[in-house]
Amino acid sequence: MLNFKTVNITAAVVFIGLLIVSAIYGISIWWFLIFGLLWLIVTGMGSAFIGWNYHITSINFCSKPSKNQIAITFDDGPNPEFTPRVLDLLEAHKAKATFFCIGKHIASYPEIFQRILDEGHTVGNHTFSHTNGFGFLPTAKVVSELLQTNAVAKKHSGLVLNLYRPAFGVTNPNIAKALKILGMQSIGWNKRSLDTTSISEAQILRRITKRLKAGDVILLHDTSEKSVRVLEQLLLFLRQKNLESVSVDSLCNIKAYA
């Protein structure tokens, strides 16, 4: 799979080759423009698709699960209206999940955050502000965001969060440096539900359940009525297929807390 380092090394070699050819034979500037555009497209896609592991090596699924298990993950909570309903459904079906929480929401709803933990689920870091421009923040600001979330999580639970879910699934060199500084593990997914878009519940459920297998990591959000209804149907599907939902750290045998 392509990654930022190998693409840049290859790009540098090709660029030098183009310069040499241009000096000898005089090629058109369009070759340089096309080459630059290709580099930009590849790097942009690598930054947007977490499954590429372009900037960061994320855990997107478990390739060798020891049991018939999958991991359901939720982003953007805790939410005062929908997270409790998600927890009720998980409890009713004896399922466990991973909640990647936004720091400012933990601060606003610490009792819901505590309930997540009390009921045996795992929590992770999903930035403090989840600002739309998170992918453009410098390394120091990314570090600050993650530390703020870890601080508020520790205040309310005593835990130091080790797992990080990139905001919007976007990665870049600054985020990679921040995770290296903090020693945190990025968690992606290989089943993106698109439950925050306008597609129907039936379409979302099909996206998740099509070829669903042990070791898969599902991305949902505990922030909407639609997602709650999809979760209810998904849990029934898992029961029919004899698949168990567990936390991502349990599925992949990794440390959730430092």
Side-chain angles (χ1 to χ4, degrees):
M1 183 64 72
L2 298 175
N3 63 60
F4 188 62
K5 182 178 180 180
T6 57
V7 166
N8 279 1
I9 291 172
T10 302
V13 171
V14 172
F15 181 73
I16 292 170
L18 286 174
L19 286 176
I20 293 171
V21 172
S22 179
I24 297 173
Y25 300 105
I27 63 174
S28 169
I29 193 174
W30 281 104
W31 285 101
F32 292 93
L33 294 175
I34 292 170
F35 171 70
L37 180 60
L38 287 173
W39 178 89
L40 188 63
I41 290 171
V42 170
T43 298
M45 292 179 68
S47 300
F49 296 113
I50 196 169
W52 281 28
N53 285 338
Y54 191 73
H55 296 288
I56 297 168
T57 300
S58 299
I59 294 175
N60 302 307
F61 60 94
C62 181
S63 60
K64 296 180 180 179
S66 59
K67 298 180 181 178
N68 207 31
Q69 297 174 332
I70 56 91
I72 300 175
T73 67
F74 297 95
D75 283 7
D76 294 359
N79 179 283
E81 181 177 358
F82 300 109
T83 304
R85 293 173 59 188
V86 165
L87 291 169
D88 289 343
L89 282 171
L90 294 171
E91 178 63 24
H93 288 266
K94 307 303 178 187
K96 300 302 179 188
T98 306
F99 291 78
F100 288 96
C101 300
I102 296 174
K104 64 181 182 181
H105 294 168
I106 298 173
S108 296
Y109 311 107
E111 69 287 349
I112 303 176
F113 179 73
Q114 189 58 54
R115 181 185 168 189
I116 293 170
L117 290 166
D118 289 344
E119 296 186 4
H121 306 290
T122 293
V123 293
N125 191 319
H126 196 44
T127 79
F128 187 82
S129 65
H130 204 285
T131 175
N132 288 337
F134 194 86
F136 299 98
L137 296 180
T139 299
K141 182 60 177 176
V142 176
V143 169
S144 176
E145 283 262 340
L146 301 189
L147 286 177
Q148 285 183 78
T149 298
N150 273 13
V152 72
K154 186 174 183 180
K155 175 184 176 181
H156 294 292
S157 68
L159 300 172
V160 177
L161 309 184
N162 187 54
L163 305 182
Y164 167 68
R165 167 64 57 75
F168 312 107
V170 171
T171 62
N172 60 39
N174 291 339
I175 294 172
K177 291 175 187 175
L179 293 184
K180 186 175 182 180
I181 290 169
L182 298 175
M184 298 182 72
Q185 173 64 57
S186 176
I187 303 295
W189 57 80
N190 67 333
K191 287 286 184 176
R192 187 170 195 169
S193 66
L194 296 182
D195 58 334
T196 59
T197 69
S198 61
I199 65 175
S200 69
E201 293 171 29
Q203 289 173 303
I204 293 169
L205 189 64
R206 280 197 298 271
R207 283 185 58 86
I208 298 171
T209 58
K210 186 177 181 180
R211 293 190 290 274
L212 185 67
K213 62 187 181 304
D216 285 348
V217 176
I218 299 167
L219 168 61
L220 284 166
H221 295 77
D222 52 331
T223 55
S224 73
E225 179 70 33
K226 181 163 65 173
S227 296
V228 172
R229 290 197 295 261
V230 168
L231 175 64
E232 185 171 20
Q233 297 173 67
L234 173 60
L235 291 169
L236 291 171
F237 174 88
L238 295 179
R239 180 180 295 179
Q240 293 169 0
K241 298 298 182 180
N242 195 33
L243 282 166
E244 179 186 11
S245 176
V246 297
S247 62
V248 72
D249 53 306
S250 177
L251 179 71
C252 299
N253 193 29
I254 55 176
K255 288 178 60 177
Y257 309 111

